[in-house]
Amino acid sequence: METDLSFKEVLEKIGEFNVLVIPGGRGPERARRYSEAVEIVKKMVKSGKPVLAICHGPQLLISANAVRGKKLTGYWGIKDDIVNAGAEYVDEDAVRDGNIVTIRHTSVIGKGSKLFIELLREKV
């Protein structure tokens, strides 16, 4: 897949972005190796902008130190990572805590999408 912007370019234009969607799979594990990707997450969470993290997506939130004290769900394989980072793992399909919505797996994306749409409506 070809991208339009690098992490560095996104970071330079971070004020132009209104939401952050972190997909699942191996992408978050790979992206968190890049300081710019982690900084994007930090800035979006800190600004209170809506953030959606799917499946393994919370791994980027963890690397951004953005989960302490939060309630999250995610793929069962990262449950310990979530807990060890200071968050509460919730065994549900989708969870919202403030401006962050997490979805356990793509198979239940509809439930999380409803929560995210509610969050977006509040921010408009």
Side-chain angles (χ1 to χ4, degrees):
M1 182 174 164
E2 193 171 318
T3 61
D4 294 334
L5 299 171
S6 68
F7 291 134
K8 182 179 177 183
E9 291 169 316
V10 170
L11 193 53
E12 290 169 354
K13 300 176 180 190
I14 197 72
E16 297 178 24
F17 295 92
N18 296 315
V19 299
L20 175 63
V21 176
I22 306 170
R26 301 289 306 268
E29 179 182 343
R30 292 180 180 122
R32 67 194 208 168
R33 296 180 298 170
Y34 298 92
S35 61
E36 294 93 347
V38 173
E39 192 62 27
I40 289 165
V41 176
K42 284 181 183 179
K43 288 185 179 290
M44 293 297 281
V45 170
K46 186 176 179 181
S47 71
K49 292 185 179 179
V51 175
L52 174 65
I54 304 163
C55 194
H56 285 79
Q59 289 178 313
L60 253 174
L61 293 168
I62 290 167
S63 292
N65 294 316
V67 301
R68 185 165 303 284
K70 297 277 188 188
K71 292 181 180 185
L72 307 174
T73 193
Y75 183 69
W76 68 267
I78 64 166
K79 175 185 175 184
D80 291 345
D81 301 318
I82 290 171
V83 172
N84 291 335
E88 178 184 341
Y89 180 84
V90 180
D91 187 17
E92 293 181 17
D93 291 339
V95 174
R96 177 180 172 192
D97 191 327
N99 65 312
I100 299 173
V101 173
T102 51
I103 302 173
R104 181 193 332 253
H105 190 266
T106 56
S107 64
V108 292
I109 202 161
K111 293 178 182 182
S113 296
K114 288 178 185 177
L115 288 177
F116 196 61
I117 289 168
E118 289 172 12
L119 173 58
L120 292 173
R121 285 186 174 140
E122 288 174 16
K123 296 288 184 176
V124 174

